[in-house]
């Protein structure tokens, strides 16, 4: 081989070794993982709602409702902390309303104005407390019931003991010694019973029990003692037996 050929071969080899590779290097694998954004959390609205419609209640029934709710919320501070209305103040408002109703029986304009003003105040307080109870009871029917409010039905369920009924109204009769009552029916109630007694302060005396002839019409109870405070309760009978007696509602007989 000539020296010229040797030089040519060496030059070619050198050129090949010096030429950089044109094949791209593989990119390193990514170590970052993509995390989808978390969905925003929204507090589920309370499904238990209170039966309201307080403006449709007569003054005596409204006052008794105030006493019942004040006792329920005030007596269970663990379940109903920091209510927007002081239960003691609500109870006092109920007493003021009852006293105003008695004072207005002579037809005085001033007394009637007090009844109207006090009634409006009690309705306002009950509406505020109804929303409060809905928000803090955590949809627990047992806790809700402790408040003194009645929960609206939430749907169909298995047969249960009939709920405790209440009075739609307690009012004065057409004649002295009469009280007119209207029973508010409950789901599953087949028949109803009313009992009444003379109140000794906050304690009822011996009860007199009568069947409620109708829940569609007002029932007149006669033979009562004028100028005496009476307590009334109502009970329902359902397919699984009797309900408890309702809380005592009071009214002065005239």
């Amino acid at each position: 081989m000539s020296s010229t050929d040797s030089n040519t071969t060496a030059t070619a080899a050198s050129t090949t070794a010096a030429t950089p590779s044109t094949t791209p290097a593989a990119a390193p694998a990514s170590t970052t993982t993509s995390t989808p954004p978390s969905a925003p959390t929204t507090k589920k609205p309370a499904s238990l709602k209170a039966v309201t419609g307080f403006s449709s209640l007569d003054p005596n029934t409204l006052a008794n409702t105030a006493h019942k709710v004040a006792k329920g919320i005030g007596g269970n501070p663990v379940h109903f902390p920091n209510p927007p209305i002081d239960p003691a103040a609500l109870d006092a408002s109920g007493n003021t309303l009852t006293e105003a109703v008695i004072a207005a029986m002579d037809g005085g304009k001033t007394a009637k104005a007090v009844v109207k003003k006090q009634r409006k105040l009690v309705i306002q307080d009950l509406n505020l407390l109804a929303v409060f109870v809905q928000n803090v009871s955590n949809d627990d029917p047992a806790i809700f019931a402790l408040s003194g409010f009645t929960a609206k039905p939430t749907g169909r369920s298995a047969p249960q003991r009939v709920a405790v009924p209440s009075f739609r109204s307690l009012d004065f009769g057409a004649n002295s010694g009469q009280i007119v009552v209207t029973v508010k029916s409950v789901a599953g109630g087949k028949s109803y019973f009313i009992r009444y007694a003379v109140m000794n302060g906050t304690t009822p005396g011996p009860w007199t029990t009568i069947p409620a002839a109708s829940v569609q019409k007002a029932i007149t109870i006669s033979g009562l003692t004028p100028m005496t405070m009476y307590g009334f309760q109502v009970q329902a009978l359902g397919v699984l037996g009797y309900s408890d007696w309702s809380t005592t509602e009071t009214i002065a007989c005239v």
Side-chain angles (χ1 to χ4, degrees):
M1 177 181 298
S2 66
S3 60
T4 301
D5 292 338
S6 299
N7 291 337
T8 301
T9 302
T11 301
S14 176
T15 302
T16 301
T19 302
S21 172
T22 59
T23 303
S30 173
T31 58
T32 304
T33 57
S34 176
T35 304
S38 58
T41 58
T42 303
K43 183 178 180 181
K44 182 181 178 182
S47 60
L48 283 178
K49 303 291 184 182
V51 175
T52 51
F54 305 114
S55 60
S56 65
L57 302 179
D58 66 85
N60 282 301
T61 303
L62 184 63
N64 282 301
T65 301
H67 293 319
K68 181 180 179 182
V69 171
K71 181 179 179 181
I73 294 178
N76 296 279
V78 173
H79 297 302
F80 308 111
N82 304 315
I85 303 298
D86 182 4
L90 176 64
D91 194 61
S93 293
N95 288 331
T96 302
L97 178 58
T98 299
E99 293 165 1
V101 169
I102 295 174
M105 290 172 60
D106 62 358
K109 291 184 178 180
T110 301
K112 287 183 177 180
V114 173
V115 171
K116 184 177 180 180
K117 178 181 179 180
Q118 197 64 26
R119 187 171 181 274
K120 183 178 180 180
L121 176 63
V122 172
I123 291 171
Q124 175 182 296
D125 289 350
L126 286 173
N127 281 322
L128 285 172
L129 287 169
V131 175
F132 164 73
V133 168
Q134 289 166 186
N135 290 334
V136 302
S137 61
N138 297 319
D139 279 342
D140 187 325
I143 294 177
F144 196 101
L146 291 174
S147 70
F149 286 108
T150 300
K152 292 180 180 178
T154 57
R156 300 181 66 179
S157 59
Q160 297 181 4
R161 186 182 180 188
V162 66
V164 179
S166 59
F167 291 105
R168 190 178 299 277
S169 65
L170 294 174
D171 208 347
F172 310 113
N175 301 312
S176 179
Q178 292 182 332
I179 295 293
V180 179
V181 305
T182 306
V183 175
K184 186 176 182 180
S185 62
V186 293
K190 303 299 182 183
S191 58
Y192 297 83
F193 298 88
I194 297 168
R195 68 181 185 180
Y196 57 92
V198 174
M199 297 297 294
N200 300 313
T202 59
T203 304
W207 292 104
T208 298
T209 303
I210 60 173
S214 172
V215 294
Q216 305 299 328
K217 299 179 180 180
I219 301 167
T220 299
I221 299 174
S222 303
L224 305 179
T225 304
M227 305 309 296
T228 301
M229 185 69 72
Y230 280 86
F232 285 80
Q233 295 182 346
V234 61
Q235 181 186 55
L237 174 63
V239 294
L240 297 182
Y242 292 93
S243 73
D244 291 331
W245 285 100
S246 66
T247 56
T248 302
E249 300 190 27
T250 59
I251 183 172
C253 183
V254 295

